[in-house]
Amino acid sequence: MKFGPENNLKQHIFFQLFFWTALFLFGMARSHGDYTDGISAEIIIYNFCHWIFQIAGANFIYSILILQFFDQKKYVRFSLYLLISLYIISVINRIFIVYLAEPFFIDEPQDSLFSIFTDMGYLLSYYTFPIISGAFIFISVMYMLRYKDEKENTTKLQKEKAELELRSLKSQLNPHFLFNTLNNIYSLSLSNSEKTSESISRLSDILDYILYKGPKSEVSIDEELAVIDHYIALESLRYSEGRLKISKTVNIKTAATIPPLLYLTLVENAFKHGAGKASGQTEIKIDISSDDPYSVFRIENTCEMDENNTSKGIGLQNIQRQLYHHYQNHFIFKVSKENNIFKVEIKTPSIL
């Protein structure tokens, strides 16, 4: 439980009221069972006086001794101060009862201050142990609330850290993709190609997706496939007829979702290291399927001997990190190269 200046302070006050009221009522119920004649006014006053010092003692022990000494691993000082504090609180409690409370309902000689300070057996039995019992229950509950609060804070911080890292990954991916695309349009504009306007239109659709879908935590596979179609059409404008051989197979049976730009980045990677590096015909195969348990994305492209090395580059490492942040360990990410064919496969849960 966090005790801040506003709502947390109110929560703290409500908790204290609820806890100590419940403890007082429990003590009264126990006293009622100990006395066959019922609870007298004197018993209520005694319980009330002990209750006040239980509250003061428990809060002092937790707020000062535990937080300042025990939590700081100053165990010797904590133990010494705890014993001294219990003795002082017990003495003050007894003085309060003997000199302030009892004169209202008892007409008997009062215990001397010397007796109050030195009668350790009576002090321990009737004053120190009630304070210890109340403090123990209170501190145990506080520790459980604190553990719960710290666990929630840790989870929240981890989530925020993951979101920041994901945003960082996307900021690394998007400029790289845009840089290549703008270079393509620039090349077309130099040749006064009629395809320039079409390229700008395609890029507009892709930018719209990146700006409005990219910041989201997930998008539907159908939305990702739509922007992939735009990208393929845009890239195809750069190459002569017959230069590219692209095939795409789609078998979507469920409304599955993925992190935005996940598949698009791999398509961009295939073009960059396939058609972008090879002088001859480049073949790119894309296979997407989705059913109840999993969604699978496979892409392969022909490449030169030194391209698409199986040791994952920065782009593929970023994809793997993005998958980990989104799915933890519930995904499969395979990268392989065989006979100048570079393959990537991603398998993710269709429903988280």
Side-chain angles (χ1 to χ4, degrees):
M1 182 171 290
K2 296 171 285 190
F3 303 137
E6 298 175 354
N7 291 335
N8 292 330
L9 179 60
K10 292 180 180 179
Q11 292 177 0
H12 179 47
I13 293 173
F14 289 145
F15 165 72
Q16 292 266 4
L17 287 173
F18 174 80
F19 176 84
W20 292 112
T21 300
L23 188 65
F24 178 77
L25 294 175
F26 175 77
M28 293 300 300
R30 187 182 60 180
S31 297
H32 184 272
D34 294 338
Y35 296 92
T36 57
D37 297 335
I39 301 176
S40 63
E42 290 82 358
I43 295 174
I44 296 176
I45 294 174
Y46 275 121
N47 284 344
F48 182 77
C49 293
H50 286 300
W51 180 67
I52 291 174
F53 283 88
Q54 280 182 323
I55 296 174
N59 278 279
F60 176 80
I61 292 171
Y62 178 77
S63 301
I64 304 298
L65 299 185
I66 288 182
L67 296 183
Q68 299 298 322
F69 297 101
F70 186 83
D71 286 352
Q72 304 300 322
K73 299 183 179 180
K74 301 175 182 178
Y75 301 126
V76 175
R77 294 174 67 182
F78 167 77
S79 301
L80 178 62
Y81 292 156
L82 178 62
L83 292 174
I84 295 173
S85 300
L86 287 172
Y87 174 75
I88 292 174
I89 295 170
S90 300
V91 168
I92 295 174
N93 189 7
R94 189 175 179 188
I95 291 174
F96 181 85
I97 290 176
V98 170
Y99 288 95
L100 293 179
E102 288 184 343
F104 288 99
F105 57 88
I106 294 179
D107 186 16
E108 294 181 1
Q110 297 174 331
D111 296 331
S112 65
L113 288 175
F114 179 80
S115 175
I116 291 174
F117 276 93
T118 58
D119 191 353
M120 300 301 296
Y122 188 83
L123 201 65
L124 286 172
S125 299
Y126 294 96
Y127 293 91
T128 305
F129 286 155
I131 292 172
I132 291 175
S133 63
F136 177 79
I137 299 172
F138 175 76
I139 292 169
S140 298
V141 174
M142 291 298 293
Y143 261 100
M144 287 189 292
L145 293 174
R146 194 168 80 174
Y147 172 78
K148 175 178 174 292
D149 216 31
E150 289 174 352
K151 188 175 181 180
E152 289 177 351
N153 286 337
T154 300
T155 303
K156 182 179 178 181
L157 289 174
Q158 289 176 344
K159 182 178 179 181
E160 291 176 350
K161 180 176 179 292
E163 289 175 352
L164 286 173
E165 289 187 2
L166 282 178
R167 284 198 291 269
S168 176
L169 292 177
K170 290 177 182 179
S171 70
Q172 295 174 37
L173 294 171
N174 296 352
H176 179 67
F177 162 72
L178 291 175
F179 178 77
N180 289 321
T181 305
L182 289 172
N183 273 343
N184 298 344
I185 296 176
Y186 177 70
S187 299
L188 291 173
S189 66
L190 289 178
S191 61
N192 294 319
S193 171
E194 296 178 354
K195 297 178 180 179
T196 303
S197 60
E198 183 182 350
S199 300
I200 295 174
S201 176
R202 296 285 186 183
L203 178 60
S204 176
D205 292 331
I206 294 173
L207 287 176
D208 182 75
Y209 180 84
I210 292 174
L211 290 174
Y212 295 101
K213 301 294 184 180
K216 295 184 177 182
S217 61
E218 57 186 30
V219 296
S220 69
I221 291 181
D222 288 335
E223 290 176 306
E224 186 85 355
L225 292 181
V227 78
I228 286 175
D229 288 339
H230 289 310
Y231 180 83
I232 292 174
L234 181 61
E235 283 284 9
S236 298
L237 295 174
R238 296 177 55 200
Y239 303 99
S240 59
E241 187 176 352
R243 176 76 164 75
L244 293 175
K245 184 179 180 182
I246 301 173
S247 61
K248 185 166 66 119
T249 304
V250 179
N251 184 19
I252 304 295
K253 296 180 180 179
T254 59
T257 60
I258 58 169
L261 309 177
L262 181 66
Y263 295 169
L264 177 61
T265 304
L266 291 173
V267 174
E268 187 265 351
N269 189 71
F271 272 96
K272 177 183 177 183
H273 295 283
K277 300 293 184 180
S279 56
Q281 186 186 62
T282 298
E283 184 175 357
I284 298 175
K285 293 182 180 180
I286 302 171
D287 181 26
I288 305 105
S289 61
S290 178
D291 52 24
D292 285 336
Y294 297 104
S295 298
V296 181
F297 178 87
R298 298 183 182 92
I299 185 169
E300 59 180 67
N301 62 275
T302 55
C303 61
E304 300 293 337
M305 289 293 296
D306 58 343
E307 286 299 320
N308 286 118
N309 195 296
T310 54
S311 60
K312 297 175 184 176
I314 295 176
L316 295 178
Q317 289 176 4
N318 285 344
I319 294 245
Q320 188 170 23
R321 289 169 59 194
Q322 187 175 10
L323 286 167
Y324 177 78
H325 284 305
H326 197 80
Y327 299 104
Q328 287 73 53
N329 292 316
H330 306 294
F331 70 91
I332 295 174
F333 183 42
K334 294 181 180 179
V335 178
S336 62
K337 181 181 178 183
E338 184 178 356
N339 298 326
N340 292 353
I341 302 292
F342 188 79
K343 301 178 181 180
V344 179
E345 178 181 331
I346 295 177
K347 188 175 184 180
T348 57
S350 295
I351 301 176
L352 288 177

